Amino acid sequence: MIKIAHEAPIDIFEEVQRFTDYDYALVHLLEQNPRYRDTFERAIKRGREVILDNSIFELEEAFEADRFAQWVQRLKPTWYIIPDALEDSKKTIQQAVEFRKNYPDLPGKSIGVVQGKNYVEIVDCYKAMVALNVDMIAISFDYSYYTQIIPHPNKYVSWMLGRVKLLGDLLADGFIDESKPHHLLGCGLPQEFSFYRNAKYKWIYSLDTSNPIVHALKGIEYGSDGLWSKESQKLHELIDYDLEEIDVDLIRTNIQKFRWFTNGQTPIGSTLVYE
């Protein structure tokens, strides 16, 4: 079973936790938002598994390395994502090498992100992460490479099937280190994860996405086959969304369907309840 995390507005964070397997923190929000920071510090104290992200998707460049290391030291997450560079294999490798050298004793386990513009660069970056002995390897949902290998008028279909093909190719070509857990960063279309129910993908440990939450906040319910478009809204921009504006039932419905697509399960919680 793939572990699932859904980023959510602070007002519903603790309830959404009941339906997820672990929590996913964005480092820039820890710095900017005291309520957000307090929420994750409580999660850590309660023993929740937490991945600390370097916020590259939200900021379009990774958080500054020294400040990021300071937040790893303060929060003490289960996992932390080494600062990377979007689709830049060489820079990502260089930054990972420097980060591992400069911060060898951080609490938690390291996650190295694979980046690149084509298959050769992606493979080179993957092999570098293995050589660096990171504890987990992450693959993103929206490489431009996906639109090259699976051209489609709907880019979200390209992203969905492109990652499926990339993972299949890496496995078939013998590059996947099955001794390491792997993380899937984000998603384009939620039905993608049904492709990984096969036992040959048992090395996929976890995924994170705000997709079911963002679409519920926009009043969009997943269909029985998922979605065929995607709201471009980023969850971090909705982190202080007012509870009174949230359709709790729709949140629950989307979470249920997402878990069904991924693991063939209903949520680990029973119902969303608010006082």
Side-chain angles (χ1 to χ4, degrees), residues 73-255:
Q73 290 280 11
R74 174 169 175 174
L75 187 65
K76 295 180 173 56
T78 317
W79 309 85
Y80 59 87
I81 298 180
I82 296 171
D84 54 313
L86 293 175
E87 300 201 15
D88 190 329
S89 177
K90 289 183 179 180
K91 187 174 180 181
T92 293
I93 295 169
Q94 178 185 359
Q95 289 182 172
V97 169
E98 292 175 355
F99 193 85
R100 298 283 277 173
K101 177 182 178 180
N102 294 335
Y103 312 101
D105 300 316
L106 291 176
K109 298 179 181 180
S110 62
I111 301 176
V113 180
V114 174
Q115 295 286 359
K117 293 185 175 68
N118 55 54
Y119 189 66
V120 172
E121 291 181 359
I122 288 170
V123 167
D124 285 347
C125 195
Y126 186 99
K127 291 164 68 175
M129 294 304 150
V130 172
L132 282 170
N133 198 30
V134 297
D135 297 298
M136 183 150 63
I137 295 175
I139 308 287
S140 188
F141 78 101
D142 62 349
Y143 299 145
S144 60
Y145 174 64
Y146 298 149
T147 62
Q148 300 169 26
I149 58 174
I150 306 289
H152 193 280
N154 183 342
K155 70 176 180 180
Y156 301 113
V157 172
S158 292
W159 289 355
M160 174 178 70
L161 297 181
R163 181 157 62 178
V164 173
K165 177 170 171 50
L166 173 62
L167 295 179
D169 289 346
L170 290 172
L171 184 61
D173 293 342
F175 295 117
I176 293 293
D177 182 346
E178 297 188 48
S179 70
K180 289 185 181 295
H182 288 64
H183 179 81
L184 302 183
L185 291 161
C187 83
L189 301 176
Q191 60 269 32
E192 172 197 345
F193 302 99
S194 63
F195 287 91
Y196 310 127
R197 290 190 194 178
N198 191 300
K200 71 179 182 179
Y201 293 109
K202 62 184 179 180
W203 38 271
I204 300 177
Y205 175 80
S206 56
L207 67 87
D208 76 278
T209 179
S210 62
N211 192 286
I213 309 299
V214 167
H215 285 85
L217 295 178
K218 297 291 185 177
I220 299 169
E221 180 178 343
Y222 284 176
S224 59
D225 58 349
L227 296 172
W228 296 103
S229 184
K230 179 184 177 180
E231 290 292 307
S232 59
Q233 182 83 56
K234 294 180 180 179
L235 192 281
H236 77 110
E237 299 168 338
L238 305 173
I239 204 67
D240 290 314
Y241 208 89
D242 191 338
L243 176 59
E244 294 183 0
E245 301 296 323
I246 297 174
D247 184 336
V248 177
D249 290 335
L250 188 51
I251 292 264
R252 181 172 181 262
T253 295
N254 283 357
I255 290 175

Side-chain angles (χ1 to χ4, degrees), residues 1 7 30 35 91 116 129 175 203 229 257 272:
M1 298 295 180
E7 301 95 312
L30 292 177
R35 288 183 66 216
K91 187 174 180 181
M129 294 304 150
F175 295 117
W203 38 271
S229 184
K257 290 182 177 179
L272 290 173

Side-chain angles (χ1 to χ4, degrees), residues 48-59:
R48 287 281 289 188
E49 182 176 4
V50 172
I51 290 179
L52 178 59
D53 185 73
N54 61 48
S55 295
I56 193 170
F57 179 68
E58 290 74 21
L59 304 178

